[in-house]
Amino acid sequence: MLPFWLTALVTLVLDQASKELVQRLMWEGQSVPVIPYVFHLTYIRNPGAAFGLFAYRTGFFIAVTLLVVAGALVAALRLSPGRRMLRLSLGLVMGGALGNLIDRVRFGLVVDFLDFRVWPVFNLADMAIVIGAFLLVFAVWREDRERERERMGPGAEN
């Protein structure tokens, strides 16, 4: 369980520390080019979900996030030993979900600041959730393929 807990904790701490820095060093709406026209740090306060959808539905987002956190925790606890990628992916999802949950409970919205100019502004928690979800799908797909190979026996091809 160490990879799960450590990943969730590191994700949560990095997310909250980065948001704290942005709030202390920038004013809302400020945009600082890191790579002009490609990547900026842009401080916004997002009252909705991705792309600002469902703005000001804080209670709904808190309830959904609690379900995601509970699901990630239950899944991680039920995993058999040796399934590191699954634990890592669940830790990323849980850490990211908790990072945004803390924002919603504290402020009623989420602090976003990563701005690639071709995508809505997001934060480290969002990134962890997306990467964790992709890793989760990949790990499950890979395990399914390995089980299928074992079922088919030696010498079986795709």
Side-chain angles (χ1 to χ4, degrees), residues 67-117:
L67 288 173
V68 169
V69 167
L73 182 58
V74 167
L77 291 171
R78 290 186 175 182
L79 284 175
S80 58
R83 299 173 82 185
R84 293 184 68 135
M85 186 177 292
L86 282 171
R87 281 197 172 81
L88 173 75
S89 66
L90 291 168
L92 284 168
V93 169
M94 183 161 155
L98 287 172
N100 281 341
L101 176 66
I102 288 169
D103 282 11
R104 290 192 193 286
V105 168
R106 286 179 65 197
F107 311 121
L109 45 78
V110 173
V111 173
D112 287 333
F113 58 92
L114 300 172
D115 182 1
F116 282 93
R117 300 305 207 185

mmCIF file of all heavy atoms in Angstrom, residues 67-117:
data_model
loop_
_atom_site.group_PDB
_atom_site.id
_atom_site.type_symbol
_atom_site.label_atom_id
_atom_site.label_comp_id
_atom_site.label_asym_id
_atom_site.label_seq_id
_atom_site.Cartn_x
_atom_site.Cartn_y
_atom_site.Cartn_z
ATOM 1 N N LEU A 67 -17.138 10.439 -3.400
ATOM 2 C CA LEU A 67 -17.347 9.113 -3.986
ATOM 3 C C LEU A 67 -16.093 8.626 -4.713
ATOM 4 O O LEU A 67 -15.725 7.448 -4.610
ATOM 5 C CB LEU A 67 -18.534 9.132 -4.945
ATOM 6 C CG LEU A 67 -19.910 9.242 -4.307
ATOM 7 C CD1 LEU A 67 -20.986 9.428 -5.382
ATOM 8 C CD2 LEU A 67 -20.209 8.010 -3.459
ATOM 9 N N VAL A 68 -15.432 9.514 -5.449
ATOM 10 C CA VAL A 68 -14.196 9.146 -6.155
ATOM 11 C C VAL A 68 -13.113 8.751 -5.161
ATOM 12 O O VAL A 68 -12.437 7.730 -5.336
ATOM 13 C CB VAL A 68 -13.718 10.308 -7.058
ATOM 14 C CG1 VAL A 68 -12.308 10.058 -7.583
ATOM 15 C CG2 VAL A 68 -14.682 10.513 -8.221
ATOM 16 N N VAL A 69 -12.953 9.536 -4.109
ATOM 17 C CA VAL A 69 -11.947 9.232 -3.090
ATOM 18 C C VAL A 69 -12.254 7.893 -2.422
ATOM 19 O O VAL A 69 -11.365 7.052 -2.243
ATOM 20 C CB VAL A 69 -11.861 10.380 -2.050
ATOM 21 C CG1 VAL A 69 -11.062 9.966 -0.828
ATOM 22 C CG2 VAL A 69 -11.265 11.620 -2.701
ATOM 23 N N ALA A 70 -13.499 7.675 -2.058
ATOM 24 C CA ALA A 70 -13.882 6.395 -1.433
ATOM 25 C C ALA A 70 -13.639 5.236 -2.393
ATOM 26 O O ALA A 70 -13.115 4.191 -1.985
ATOM 27 C CB ALA A 70 -15.351 6.441 -1.010
ATOM 28 N N GLY A 71 -13.994 5.414 -3.660
ATOM 29 C CA GLY A 71 -13.769 4.359 -4.653
ATOM 30 C C GLY A 71 -12.299 4.039 -4.832
ATOM 31 O O GLY A 71 -11.907 2.867 -4.901
ATOM 32 N N ALA A 72 -11.454 5.074 -4.908
ATOM 33 C CA ALA A 72 -10.011 4.856 -5.059
ATOM 34 C C ALA A 72 -9.448 4.140 -3.839
ATOM 35 O O ALA A 72 -8.634 3.217 -3.966
ATOM 36 C CB ALA A 72 -9.300 6.187 -5.280
ATOM 37 N N LEU A 73 -9.892 4.537 -2.661
ATOM 38 C CA LEU A 73 -9.413 3.911 -1.427
ATOM 39 C C LEU A 73 -9.833 2.452 -1.344
ATOM 40 O O LEU A 73 -9.018 1.571 -1.063
ATOM 41 C CB LEU A 73 -9.920 4.699 -0.217
ATOM 42 C CG LEU A 73 -9.472 4.206 1.153
ATOM 43 C CD1 LEU A 73 -7.951 4.205 1.244
ATOM 44 C CD2 LEU A 73 -10.069 5.085 2.242
ATOM 45 N N VAL A 74 -11.092 2.168 -1.595
ATOM 46 C CA VAL A 74 -11.582 0.787 -1.548
ATOM 47 C C VAL A 74 -10.853 -0.071 -2.590
ATOM 48 O O VAL A 74 -10.419 -1.188 -2.295
ATOM 49 C CB VAL A 74 -13.113 0.737 -1.763
ATOM 50 C CG1 VAL A 74 -13.595 -0.676 -2.028
ATOM 51 C CG2 VAL A 74 -13.826 1.327 -0.553
ATOM 52 N N ALA A 75 -10.704 0.455 -3.790
ATOM 53 C CA ALA A 75 -10.014 -0.299 -4.847
ATOM 54 C C ALA A 75 -8.570 -0.589 -4.449
ATOM 55 O O ALA A 75 -8.083 -1.715 -4.616
ATOM 56 C CB ALA A 75 -10.054 0.465 -6.164
ATOM 57 N N ALA A 76 -7.876 0.409 -3.906
ATOM 58 C CA ALA A 76 -6.481 0.213 -3.501
ATOM 59 C C ALA A 76 -6.363 -0.817 -2.381
ATOM 60 O O ALA A 76 -5.448 -1.641 -2.381
ATOM 61 C CB ALA A 76 -5.866 1.540 -3.076
ATOM 62 N N LEU A 77 -7.284 -0.790 -1.442
ATOM 63 C CA LEU A 77 -7.249 -1.736 -0.324
ATOM 64 C C LEU A 77 -7.529 -3.165 -0.777
ATOM 65 O O LEU A 77 -7.048 -4.119 -0.168
ATOM 66 C CB LEU A 77 -8.245 -1.321 0.759
ATOM 67 C CG LEU A 77 -7.892 -0.052 1.531
ATOM 68 C CD1 LEU A 77 -9.053 0.379 2.412
ATOM 69 C CD2 LEU A 77 -6.622 -0.248 2.349
ATOM 70 N N ARG A 78 -8.301 -3.327 -1.844
ATOM 71 C CA ARG A 78 -8.664 -4.659 -2.321
ATOM 72 C C ARG A 78 -7.665 -5.262 -3.305
ATOM 73 O O ARG A 78 -7.771 -6.436 -3.638
ATOM 74 C CB ARG A 78 -10.042 -4.621 -2.982
ATOM 75 C CG ARG A 78 -11.146 -4.402 -1.984
ATOM 76 C CD ARG A 78 -12.476 -4.505 -2.637
ATOM 77 N NE ARG A 78 -13.525 -4.395 -1.627
ATOM 78 C CZ ARG A 78 -14.796 -4.490 -1.890
ATOM 79 N NH1 ARG A 78 -15.202 -4.692 -3.128
ATOM 80 N NH2 ARG A 78 -15.680 -4.385 -0.933
ATOM 81 N N LEU A 79 -6.713 -4.462 -3.761
ATOM 82 C CA LEU A 79 -5.747 -4.965 -4.735
ATOM 83 C C LEU A 79 -4.817 -5.991 -4.104
ATOM 84 O O LEU A 79 -4.359 -5.818 -2.971
ATOM 85 C CB LEU A 79 -4.901 -3.821 -5.288
ATOM 86 C CG LEU A 79 -5.545 -2.916 -6.312
ATOM 87 C CD1 LEU A 79 -4.606 -1.768 -6.657
ATOM 88 C CD2 LEU A 79 -5.924 -3.691 -7.561
ATOM 89 N N SER A 80 -4.521 -7.027 -4.851
ATOM 90 C CA SER A 80 -3.556 -8.010 -4.387
ATOM 91 C C SER A 80 -2.152 -7.412 -4.468
ATOM 92 O O SER A 80 -1.914 -6.477 -5.234
ATOM 93 C CB SER A 80 -3.658 -9.284 -5.220
ATOM 94 O OG SER A 80 -3.454 -8.991 -6.589
ATOM 95 N N PRO A 81 -1.211 -7.955 -3.708
ATOM 96 C CA PRO A 81 0.158 -7.431 -3.720
ATOM 97 C C PRO A 81 0.760 -7.489 -5.134
ATOM 98 O O PRO A 81 0.407 -8.333 -5.949
ATOM 99 C CB PRO A 81 0.918 -8.370 -2.779
ATOM 100 C CG PRO A 81 -0.133 -8.961 -1.904
ATOM 101 C CD PRO A 81 -1.380 -9.048 -2.751
ATOM 102 N N GLY A 82 1.672 -6.581 -5.402
ATOM 103 C CA GLY A 82 2.393 -6.604 -6.658
ATOM 104 C C GLY A 82 1.761 -5.808 -7.782
ATOM 105 O O GLY A 82 2.298 -5.766 -8.876
ATOM 106 N N ARG A 83 0.676 -5.161 -7.551
ATOM 107 C CA ARG A 83 -0.004 -4.408 -8.613
ATOM 108 C C ARG A 83 0.313 -2.923 -8.455
ATOM 109 O O ARG A 83 -0.549 -2.097 -8.225
ATOM 110 C CB ARG A 83 -1.486 -4.705 -8.577
ATOM 111 C CG ARG A 83 -1.706 -6.219 -8.818
ATOM 112 C CD ARG A 83 -3.093 -6.630 -8.640
ATOM 113 N NE ARG A 83 -3.837 -6.343 -9.865
ATOM 114 C CZ ARG A 83 -5.144 -6.521 -9.971
ATOM 115 N NH1 ARG A 83 -5.836 -6.966 -8.936
ATOM 116 N NH2 ARG A 83 -5.756 -6.265 -11.085
ATOM 117 N N ARG A 84 1.586 -2.625 -8.645
ATOM 118 C CA ARG A 84 2.115 -1.282 -8.372
ATOM 119 C C ARG A 84 1.515 -0.212 -9.271
ATOM 120 O O ARG A 84 1.224 0.884 -8.816
ATOM 121 C CB ARG A 84 3.627 -1.292 -8.479
ATOM 122 C CG ARG A 84 4.275 -2.126 -7.389
ATOM 123 C CD ARG A 84 5.744 -2.025 -7.494
ATOM 124 N NE ARG A 84 6.111 -0.658 -7.149
ATOM 125 C CZ ARG A 84 7.101 -0.344 -6.349
ATOM 126 N NH1 ARG A 84 7.827 -1.277 -5.825
ATOM 127 N NH2 ARG A 84 7.372 0.906 -6.094
ATOM 128 N N MET A 85 1.378 -0.498 -10.574
ATOM 129 C CA MET A 85 0.860 0.530 -11.465
ATOM 130 C C MET A 85 -0.580 0.889 -11.114
ATOM 131 O O MET A 85 -0.955 2.057 -11.158
ATOM 132 C CB MET A 85 0.956 0.132 -12.932
ATOM 133 C CG MET A 85 0.531 1.290 -13.843
ATOM 134 S SD MET A 85 0.657 1.005 -15.595
ATOM 135 C CE MET A 85 2.408 0.906 -15.812
ATOM 136 N N LEU A 86 -1.357 -0.108 -10.737
ATOM 137 C CA LEU A 86 -2.730 0.181 -10.322
ATOM 138 C C LEU A 86 -2.745 1.024 -9.050
ATOM 139 O O LEU A 86 -3.515 1.973 -8.936
ATOM 140 C CB LEU A 86 -3.515 -1.115 -10.109
ATOM 141 C CG LEU A 86 -3.997 -1.805 -11.378
ATOM 142 C CD1 LEU A 86 -4.574 -3.172 -11.057
ATOM 143 C CD2 LEU A 86 -5.017 -0.948 -12.098
ATOM 144 N N ARG A 87 -1.879 0.699 -8.108
ATOM 145 C CA ARG A 87 -1.810 1.483 -6.870
ATOM 146 C C ARG A 87 -1.339 2.908 -7.150
ATOM 147 O O ARG A 87 -1.860 3.864 -6.591
ATOM 148 C CB ARG A 87 -0.891 0.807 -5.860
ATOM 149 C CG ARG A 87 -1.541 -0.329 -5.155
ATOM 150 C CD ARG A 87 -0.786 -0.718 -3.890
ATOM 151 N NE ARG A 87 -1.568 -1.684 -3.177
ATOM 152 C CZ ARG A 87 -1.614 -2.981 -3.469
ATOM 153 N NH1 ARG A 87 -0.901 -3.451 -4.466
ATOM 154 N NH2 ARG A 87 -2.374 -3.803 -2.781
ATOM 155 N N LEU A 88 -0.346 3.042 -8.014
ATOM 156 C CA LEU A 88 0.153 4.359 -8.393
ATOM 157 C C LEU A 88 -0.957 5.182 -9.044
ATOM 158 O O LEU A 88 -1.169 6.347 -8.699
ATOM 159 C CB LEU A 88 1.336 4.220 -9.348
ATOM 160 C CG LEU A 88 1.860 5.506 -9.962
ATOM 161 C CD1 LEU A 88 2.661 6.284 -8.938
ATOM 162 C CD2 LEU A 88 2.713 5.208 -11.179
ATOM 163 N N SER A 89 -1.679 4.582 -9.971
ATOM 164 C CA SER A 89 -2.752 5.307 -10.666
ATOM 165 C C SER A 89 -3.856 5.724 -9.695
ATOM 166 O O SER A 89 -4.344 6.850 -9.747
ATOM 167 C CB SER A 89 -3.317 4.465 -11.814
ATOM 168 O OG SER A 89 -3.974 3.320 -11.338
ATOM 169 N N LEU A 90 -4.223 4.838 -8.789
ATOM 170 C CA LEU A 90 -5.255 5.177 -7.806
ATOM 171 C C LEU A 90 -4.767 6.258 -6.838
ATOM 172 O O LEU A 90 -5.536 7.115 -6.408
ATOM 173 C CB LEU A 90 -5.690 3.923 -7.044
ATOM 174 C CG LEU A 90 -6.475 2.907 -7.870
ATOM 175 C CD1 LEU A 90 -6.595 1.580 -7.111
ATOM 176 C CD2 LEU A 90 -7.854 3.445 -8.231
ATOM 177 N N GLY A 91 -3.477 6.234 -6.515
ATOM 178 C CA GLY A 91 -2.904 7.281 -5.661
ATOM 179 C C GLY A 91 -2.941 8.642 -6.331
ATOM 180 O O GLY A 91 -3.230 9.654 -5.692
ATOM 181 N N LEU A 92 -2.660 8.678 -7.642
ATOM 182 C CA LEU A 92 -2.739 9.944 -8.385
ATOM 183 C C LEU A 92 -4.172 10.472 -8.398
ATOM 184 O O LEU A 92 -4.402 11.667 -8.166
ATOM 185 C CB LEU A 92 -2.246 9.752 -9.819
ATOM 186 C CG LEU A 92 -0.741 9.646 -10.012
ATOM 187 C CD1 LEU A 92 -0.415 9.179 -11.423
ATOM 188 C CD2 LEU A 92 -0.052 10.972 -9.714
ATOM 189 N N VAL A 93 -5.117 9.585 -8.664
ATOM 190 C CA VAL A 93 -6.525 9.999 -8.690
ATOM 191 C C VAL A 93 -6.954 10.505 -7.315
ATOM 192 O O VAL A 93 -7.577 11.570 -7.194
ATOM 193 C CB VAL A 93 -7.433 8.842 -9.171
ATOM 194 C CG1 VAL A 93 -8.902 9.173 -8.948
ATOM 195 C CG2 VAL A 93 -7.165 8.535 -10.644
ATOM 196 N N MET A 94 -6.598 9.758 -6.274
ATOM 197 C CA MET A 94 -7.014 10.158 -4.933
ATOM 198 C C MET A 94 -6.349 11.468 -4.509
ATOM 199 O O MET A 94 -7.016 12.373 -3.984
ATOM 200 C CB MET A 94 -6.698 9.071 -3.921
ATOM 201 C CG MET A 94 -7.184 9.416 -2.525
ATOM 202 S SD MET A 94 -7.293 7.964 -1.520
ATOM 203 C CE MET A 94 -7.132 8.667 0.090
ATOM 204 N N GLY A 95 -5.048 11.604 -4.728
ATOM 205 C CA GLY A 95 -4.352 12.837 -4.356
ATOM 206 C C GLY A 95 -4.900 14.042 -5.096
ATOM 207 O O GLY A 95 -5.105 15.106 -4.505
ATOM 208 N N GLY A 96 -5.156 13.881 -6.395
ATOM 209 C CA GLY A 96 -5.723 14.982 -7.180
ATOM 210 C C GLY A 96 -7.125 15.333 -6.730
ATOM 211 O O GLY A 96 -7.483 16.518 -6.599
ATOM 212 N N ALA A 97 -7.936 14.319 -6.495
ATOM 213 C CA ALA A 97 -9.312 14.564 -6.051
ATOM 214 C C ALA A 97 -9.323 15.283 -4.700
ATOM 215 O O ALA A 97 -10.088 16.230 -4.493
ATOM 216 C CB ALA A 97 -10.079 13.245 -5.970
ATOM 217 N N LEU A 98 -8.455 14.856 -3.792
ATOM 218 C CA LEU A 98 -8.387 15.519 -2.485
ATOM 219 C C LEU A 98 -7.896 16.956 -2.607
ATOM 220 O O LEU A 98 -8.372 17.846 -1.894
ATOM 221 C CB LEU A 98 -7.483 14.732 -1.533
ATOM 222 C CG LEU A 98 -8.046 13.418 -1.005
ATOM 223 C CD1 LEU A 98 -6.977 12.651 -0.235
ATOM 224 C CD2 LEU A 98 -9.269 13.662 -0.147
ATOM 225 N N GLY A 99 -6.959 17.207 -3.522
ATOM 226 C CA GLY A 99 -6.462 18.569 -3.724
ATOM 227 C C GLY A 99 -7.574 19.510 -4.150
ATOM 228 O O GLY A 99 -7.711 20.622 -3.616
ATOM 229 N N ASN A 100 -8.375 19.081 -5.114
ATOM 230 C CA ASN A 100 -9.482 19.930 -5.558
ATOM 231 C C ASN A 100 -10.601 19.980 -4.516
ATOM 232 O O ASN A 100 -11.274 21.007 -4.378
ATOM 233 C CB ASN A 100 -10.018 19.461 -6.910
ATOM 234 C CG ASN A 100 -9.128 19.923 -8.053
ATOM 235 O OD1 ASN A 100 -8.334 20.847 -7.917
ATOM 236 N ND2 ASN A 100 -9.257 19.268 -9.193
ATOM 237 N N LEU A 101 -10.788 18.895 -3.761
ATOM 238 C CA LEU A 101 -11.792 18.892 -2.700
ATOM 239 C C LEU A 101 -11.453 19.940 -1.634
ATOM 240 O O LEU A 101 -12.330 20.682 -1.178
ATOM 241 C CB LEU A 101 -11.886 17.503 -2.064
ATOM 242 C CG LEU A 101 -12.839 17.374 -0.871
ATOM 243 C CD1 LEU A 101 -14.283 17.595 -1.317
ATOM 244 C CD2 LEU A 101 -12.681 16.005 -0.217
ATOM 245 N N ILE A 102 -10.199 20.009 -1.259
ATOM 246 C CA ILE A 102 -9.782 20.991 -0.263
ATOM 247 C C ILE A 102 -10.112 22.409 -0.751
ATOM 248 O O ILE A 102 -10.634 23.232 0.004
ATOM 249 C CB ILE A 102 -8.280 20.840 0.067
ATOM 250 C CG1 ILE A 102 -8.063 19.562 0.882
ATOM 251 C CG2 ILE A 102 -7.741 22.064 0.807
ATOM 252 C CD1 ILE A 102 -6.610 19.161 1.055
ATOM 253 N N ASP A 103 -9.824 22.684 -2.024
ATOM 254 C CA ASP A 103 -10.158 24.000 -2.580
ATOM 255 C C ASP A 103 -11.659 24.268 -2.499
ATOM 256 O O ASP A 103 -12.082 25.356 -2.107
ATOM 257 C CB ASP A 103 -9.747 24.084 -4.053
ATOM 258 C CG ASP A 103 -8.264 24.308 -4.257
ATOM 259 O OD1 ASP A 103 -7.501 24.196 -3.283
ATOM 260 O OD2 ASP A 103 -7.869 24.596 -5.400
ATOM 261 N N ARG A 104 -12.459 23.298 -2.884
ATOM 262 C CA ARG A 104 -13.914 23.499 -2.905
ATOM 263 C C ARG A 104 -14.465 23.718 -1.498
ATOM 264 O O ARG A 104 -15.350 24.546 -1.296
ATOM 265 C CB ARG A 104 -14.607 22.321 -3.568
ATOM 266 C CG ARG A 104 -14.345 22.278 -5.053
ATOM 267 C CD ARG A 104 -15.257 21.304 -5.768
ATOM 268 N NE ARG A 104 -14.800 21.041 -7.108
ATOM 269 C CZ ARG A 104 -14.911 21.880 -8.124
ATOM 270 N NH1 ARG A 104 -15.465 23.052 -7.954
ATOM 271 N NH2 ARG A 104 -14.462 21.563 -9.322
ATOM 272 N N VAL A 105 -13.932 22.995 -0.523
ATOM 273 C CA VAL A 105 -14.391 23.166 0.853
ATOM 274 C C VAL A 105 -13.938 24.531 1.392
ATOM 275 O O VAL A 105 -14.705 25.240 2.042
ATOM 276 C CB VAL A 105 -13.891 22.007 1.747
ATOM 277 C CG1 VAL A 105 -14.112 22.304 3.222
ATOM 278 C CG2 VAL A 105 -14.571 20.704 1.345
ATOM 279 N N ARG A 106 -12.690 24.920 1.112
ATOM 280 C CA ARG A 106 -12.153 26.192 1.615
ATOM 281 C C ARG A 106 -12.729 27.411 0.917
ATOM 282 O O ARG A 106 -13.044 28.401 1.556
ATOM 283 C CB ARG A 106 -10.624 26.217 1.451
ATOM 284 C CG ARG A 106 -9.878 25.359 2.433
ATOM 285 C CD ARG A 106 -8.389 25.407 2.188
ATOM 286 N NE ARG A 106 -7.857 26.746 2.434
ATOM 287 C CZ ARG A 106 -6.671 27.156 2.000
ATOM 288 N NH1 ARG A 106 -5.911 26.354 1.285
ATOM 289 N NH2 ARG A 106 -6.255 28.370 2.273
ATOM 290 N N PHE A 107 -12.822 27.340 -0.431
ATOM 291 C CA PHE A 107 -13.146 28.532 -1.203
ATOM 292 C C PHE A 107 -14.454 28.439 -1.987
ATOM 293 O O PHE A 107 -14.907 29.423 -2.549
ATOM 294 C CB PHE A 107 -12.036 28.845 -2.217
ATOM 295 C CG PHE A 107 -10.650 28.839 -1.661
ATOM 296 C CD1 PHE A 107 -9.689 27.976 -2.162
ATOM 297 C CD2 PHE A 107 -10.287 29.693 -0.629
ATOM 298 C CE1 PHE A 107 -8.397 27.971 -1.661
ATOM 299 C CE2 PHE A 107 -9.000 29.696 -0.120
ATOM 300 C CZ PHE A 107 -8.049 28.829 -0.630
ATOM 301 N N GLY A 108 -15.018 27.244 -2.109
ATOM 302 C CA GLY A 108 -16.201 27.056 -2.934
ATOM 303 C C GLY A 108 -15.882 26.992 -4.418
ATOM 304 O O GLY A 108 -16.778 27.025 -5.254
ATOM 305 N N LEU A 109 -14.590 26.884 -4.748
ATOM 306 C CA LEU A 109 -14.119 26.822 -6.133
ATOM 307 C C LEU A 109 -12.722 26.226 -6.144
ATOM 308 O O LEU A 109 -12.181 25.884 -5.103
ATOM 309 C CB LEU A 109 -14.124 28.217 -6.763
ATOM 310 C CG LEU A 109 -13.552 29.363 -5.937
ATOM 311 C CD1 LEU A 109 -12.051 29.384 -5.920
ATOM 312 C CD2 LEU A 109 -14.081 30.676 -6.460
ATOM 313 N N VAL A 110 -12.142 26.110 -7.335
ATOM 314 C CA VAL A 110 -10.820 25.501 -7.494
ATOM 315 C C VAL A 110 -9.864 26.534 -8.075
ATOM 316 O O VAL A 110 -10.225 27.281 -8.988
ATOM 317 C CB VAL A 110 -10.906 24.261 -8.416
ATOM 318 C CG1 VAL A 110 -9.532 23.707 -8.726
ATOM 319 C CG2 VAL A 110 -11.765 23.185 -7.778
ATOM 320 N N VAL A 111 -8.649 26.571 -7.558
ATOM 321 C CA VAL A 111 -7.606 27.457 -8.072
ATOM 322 C C VAL A 111 -6.923 26.766 -9.245
ATOM 323 O O VAL A 111 -6.428 25.647 -9.117
ATOM 324 C CB VAL A 111 -6.570 27.787 -6.974
ATOM 325 C CG1 VAL A 111 -5.388 28.558 -7.543
ATOM 326 C CG2 VAL A 111 -7.234 28.546 -5.837
ATOM 327 N N ASP A 112 -6.917 27.422 -10.405
ATOM 328 C CA ASP A 112 -6.265 26.903 -11.607
ATOM 329 C C ASP A 112 -5.193 27.884 -12.053
ATOM 330 O O ASP A 112 -5.314 29.095 -11.829
ATOM 331 C CB ASP A 112 -7.288 26.731 -12.744
ATOM 332 C CG ASP A 112 -8.232 25.559 -12.527
ATOM 333 O OD1 ASP A 112 -7.844 24.589 -11.847
ATOM 334 O OD2 ASP A 112 -9.357 25.603 -13.051
ATOM 335 N N PHE A 113 -4.140 27.360 -12.715
ATOM 336 C CA PHE A 113 -3.055 28.263 -13.125
ATOM 337 C C PHE A 113 -2.212 27.768 -14.291
ATOM 338 O O PHE A 113 -1.421 28.523 -14.841
ATOM 339 C CB PHE A 113 -2.141 28.580 -11.933
ATOM 340 C CG PHE A 113 -1.527 27.351 -11.319
ATOM 341 C CD1 PHE A 113 -0.290 26.891 -11.736
ATOM 342 C CD2 PHE A 113 -2.187 26.661 -10.323
ATOM 343 C CE1 PHE A 113 0.278 25.766 -11.171
ATOM 344 C CE2 PHE A 113 -1.635 25.530 -9.750
ATOM 345 C CZ PHE A 113 -0.399 25.076 -10.175
ATOM 346 N N LEU A 114 -2.314 26.527 -14.705
ATOM 347 C CA LEU A 114 -1.518 26.009 -15.824
ATOM 348 C C LEU A 114 -2.257 26.303 -17.124
ATOM 349 O O LEU A 114 -3.344 25.786 -17.353
ATOM 350 C CB LEU A 114 -1.276 24.510 -15.658
ATOM 351 C CG LEU A 114 -0.518 24.109 -14.385
ATOM 352 C CD1 LEU A 114 -0.516 22.595 -14.228
ATOM 353 C CD2 LEU A 114 0.891 24.664 -14.392
ATOM 354 N N ASP A 115 -1.662 27.120 -17.957
ATOM 355 C CA ASP A 115 -2.349 27.643 -19.137
ATOM 356 C C ASP A 115 -1.513 27.380 -20.393
ATOM 357 O O ASP A 115 -0.518 28.067 -20.632
ATOM 358 C CB ASP A 115 -2.583 29.141 -18.938
ATOM 359 C CG ASP A 115 -3.338 29.801 -20.066
ATOM 360 O OD1 ASP A 115 -3.720 29.110 -21.027
ATOM 361 O OD2 ASP A 115 -3.534 31.028 -19.970
ATOM 362 N N PHE A 116 -1.934 26.403 -21.185
ATOM 363 C CA PHE A 116 -1.247 26.077 -22.434
ATOM 364 C C PHE A 116 -1.879 26.761 -23.640
ATOM 365 O O PHE A 116 -1.552 26.440 -24.770
ATOM 366 C CB PHE A 116 -1.187 24.561 -22.624
ATOM 367 C CG PHE A 116 -0.130 23.922 -21.789
ATOM 368 C CD1 PHE A 116 -0.428 23.431 -20.533
ATOM 369 C CD2 PHE A 116 1.174 23.852 -22.239
ATOM 370 C CE1 PHE A 116 0.557 22.855 -19.743
ATOM 371 C CE2 PHE A 116 2.166 23.283 -21.460
ATOM 372 C CZ PHE A 116 1.855 22.782 -20.207
ATOM 373 N N ARG A 117 -2.778 27.683 -23.404
ATOM 374 C CA ARG A 117 -3.364 28.546 -24.425
ATOM 375 C C ARG A 117 -4.275 27.840 -25.426
ATOM 376 O O ARG A 117 -5.004 28.497 -26.123
ATOM 377 C CB ARG A 117 -2.284 29.318 -25.205
ATOM 378 C CG ARG A 117 -1.426 30.207 -24.377
ATOM 379 C CD ARG A 117 -2.293 31.130 -23.610
ATOM 380 N NE ARG A 117 -1.612 32.363 -23.300
ATOM 381 C CZ ARG A 117 -2.133 33.293 -22.550
ATOM 382 N NH1 ARG A 117 -3.325 33.154 -22.059
ATOM 383 N NH2 ARG A 117 -1.485 34.380 -22.275
#
